[in-house]
Amino acid sequence: MILYLTRKTFERYKLDPPENSLFPVKEITAAVKEREQGIGLLEWGGKLFYFDRRKCIQFSNFASKFTVFLFDAKVEKLPFLGEAIFMYLFDFYQGNKEMTKLLKRLADEHPFAVIDRLKDKKAIATLNRTQLDFALDGYKFYKFIENNVLQTKKINKLVNTDWLFTQRVENQSGPEYFYSGEKFEQLLKEYYAKLP
């Protein structure tokens, strides 16, 4: 899994570009990028935002736009970003046996989450639009506080079930509208249908 972070996110977390990393991080990053770059299901764009004066990161999958909001994302949590995304994926598809089986396979076959810089303009536009229009720049999340606890699972379910995403499709006159939870499921099933 490749997690592409915006320039501002790199700066605020004081991250070094992967090419400046030490052994073995540099070699692992290069190997993962060589193997997974260009496979949209394995690529996620990430952007820092603030909620209640805490650093948080929004991730959006390149292929499906499946979105995960990670709250209170402290520096010491950065090595576990991949696991956090998988945690929300498993929660979202809980009860869907076929999807949980495919997610386990995906996690087993792609165990490393590496970080690189986000340059994809479509991914940046998706992150910006979701932050402003869905999350209302974070203000919407105050509605999800119950008994002084932020209901993060509810937020991450809602954005992937009730929020319409769009994308342009080649040879089509207009954009395609879809729910990212359905799209991720469709694409993951198609991905594994093509593999042995």
Side-chain angles (χ1 to χ4, degrees), residues 73-92:
K74 296 175 180 165
V75 173
E76 58 267 21
K77 293 182 180 178
L78 292 183
F80 307 103
L81 292 175
E83 285 99 334
I85 290 171
F86 267 108
M87 181 191 78
Y88 282 109
L89 283 167
F90 276 107
D91 179 69
F92 185 84

Side-chain angles (χ1 to χ4, degrees), residues 55-79:
K55 287 180 183 169
C56 306
I57 304 176
Q58 175 201 170
F59 281 102
S60 179
N61 181 259
F62 276 22
S64 67
K65 300 191 182 184
F66 192 97
T67 299
V68 175
F69 291 99
L70 300 178
F71 296 89
D72 200 17
K74 296 175 180 165
V75 173
E76 58 267 21
K77 293 182 180 178
L78 292 183

Side-chain angles (χ1 to χ4, degrees), residues 20 37 53 70 148 153 156 186:
N20 295 347
Q37 207 162 32
R53 293 183 299 210
L70 300 178
N148 292 324
K153 289 181 179 182
N156 285 310
Q186 172 202 334

Side-chain angles (χ1 to χ4, degrees), residues 49-149:
F49 71 97
Y50 289 89
F51 173 68
D52 202 25
R53 293 183 299 210
R54 292 184 174 96
K55 287 180 183 169
C56 306
I57 304 176
Q58 175 201 170
F59 281 102
S60 179
N61 181 259
F62 276 22
S64 67
K65 300 191 182 184
F66 192 97
T67 299
V68 175
F69 291 99
L70 300 178
F71 296 89
D72 200 17
K74 296 175 180 165
V75 173
E76 58 267 21
K77 293 182 180 178
L78 292 183
F80 307 103
L81 292 175
E83 285 99 334
I85 290 171
F86 267 108
M87 181 191 78
Y88 282 109
L89 283 167
F90 276 107
D91 179 69
F92 185 84
Y93 294 105
Q94 183 180 20
N96 183 334
K97 290 182 182 179
E98 185 180 2
M99 276 302 287
T100 53
K101 183 180 175 184
L102 292 176
L103 286 169
K104 284 177 186 170
R105 183 175 173 187
L106 187 71
D108 289 343
E109 293 176 0
H110 304 280
F112 295 106
V114 299
I115 293 174
D116 201 356
R117 292 206 182 210
L118 179 61
K119 296 175 184 170
D120 186 288
K121 291 181 181 177
K122 288 180 186 176
I124 294 169
T126 297
L127 291 164
N128 288 337
R129 180 177 174 262
T130 306
Q131 180 180 335
L132 291 174
D133 295 346
F134 171 79
L136 304 176
D137 212 15
Y139 289 103
K140 183 175 190 169
F141 300 141
Y142 285 104
K143 293 180 180 179
F144 290 88
I145 297 174
E146 297 174 13
N147 299 320
N148 292 324
V149 177

